[in-house]
Amino acid sequence: MGIGKWRASTGAAIAAVLLCFGSMGTAVAEELPSDGAAVTDDTAISADQTTDVNDRQGWEDDADQPLSVDAPSVCDQPSTWYSITSNKSYQIPSWWNGTKFKDGPGGTMAVSVTKSGTISAEIAGSIEFSTNAIIAKAKTQVSAKVGASVTIATGHNYTHDISHNKYGHLQYGAWGFKLTWKKYRSAGVCGAVEIGHGTATVPTSETGWRYWETSS
């Protein structure tokens, strides 16, 4: 190989390596705050941002929906990062009195939220984790409407007919998601290794009544 060709080949190789390290530097700069379960909730959804959506029949998923995630590469990721690996549509019920009712048999149910409160995300994992980082990743991978918590206000009247000889149930809550997540760490040259995983239940800005019937 001539000296000119050798210099051109070496220059191209050096440029490729510098490009990889340049991407790493950018990704590290974009990493979210340090890990820890106790973090400031700066993704709460205020009452005036919520949308009322009643009785989403068939909206909840029976099984997790896998998300297509490209193989992580340290060349375009921070030194550690999160990924949402599956999600499942789920109504997160409000747990306090004044948001759940039962009536029947037959007739019509007329209900209203009589007590305000807050529904918060619940996150668990095999290692320490950043709640804000997982919520932020869920916003980009699952829904922009995801938040760490949502405020439920009083009101939101709703009426639903009950089938003959059946009992009707109405439960208020946030239309959210059950998620699984993984945390990765860079390894080798443009490689990654999983260092932890967990689950999360996260609300969205949409709230409403869920209706179902029973025989007793």
Side-chain angles (χ1 to χ4, degrees):
M1 180 184 294
I3 294 177
K5 291 183 179 180
W6 179 84
R7 286 177 176 173
S9 175
T10 303
I14 293 173
V17 172
L18 290 176
L19 177 60
C20 181
F21 279 106
S23 298
M24 288 173 61
T26 301
V28 170
E30 294 173 352
E31 177 66 304
L32 288 163
S34 60
D35 292 338
V39 295
T40 301
D41 176 5
D42 55 4
T43 56
I45 304 167
S46 63
D48 58 358
Q49 293 176 307
T50 60
T51 302
D52 294 339
V53 182
N54 288 326
D55 195 14
R56 283 182 164 177
Q57 294 292 330
W59 182 79
E60 293 186 334
D61 293 323
D62 293 328
D64 289 345
Q65 306 300 312
L67 294 177
S68 177
V69 180
D70 294 334
S73 169
V74 70
C75 289
D76 55 12
Q77 295 283 1
S79 58
T80 61
W81 65 95
Y82 295 85
S83 183
I84 306 301
T85 54
S86 71
N87 71 287
K88 178 180 178 180
S89 300
Y90 174 72
Q91 193 215 36
I92 306 173
S94 45
W95 51 267
W96 57 91
N97 293 333
T99 58
K100 182 178 181 180
F101 301 91
K102 175 183 177 180
D103 205 352
T108 299
M109 295 184 69
V111 299
S112 176
V113 177
T114 61
K115 186 177 180 180
S116 61
T118 299
I119 296 176
S120 300
E122 295 183 1
I123 303 178
S126 60
I127 59 170
E128 289 188 354
F129 54 83
S130 167
T131 297
N132 284 348
I134 294 171
I135 294 293
K137 184 60 67 173
K139 279 181 174 291
T140 59
Q141 284 191 254
V142 180
S143 172
K145 297 178 180 179
V146 166
S149 62
V150 60
T151 300
I152 303 298
T154 57
H156 196 169
N157 302 325
Y158 186 50
T159 301
H160 199 290
D161 292 333
I162 308 171
S163 300
H164 181 63
N165 287 334
K166 294 288 185 178
Y167 289 86
H169 303 259
L170 279 167
Q171 170 69 66
Y172 202 77
W175 302 108
F177 298 93
K178 285 187 174 182
L179 313 172
T180 57
W181 57 268
K182 289 184 178 181
K183 184 177 181 180
Y184 296 95
R185 180 182 64 215
S186 59
V189 179
C190 295
V193 60
E194 179 187 331
I195 59 174
H197 58 272
T199 60
T201 302
V202 295
T204 69
S205 56
E206 294 183 336
T207 61
W209 293 98
R210 183 171 69 92
Y211 178 81
W212 72 98
E213 293 183 345
T214 58
S215 300
S216 59

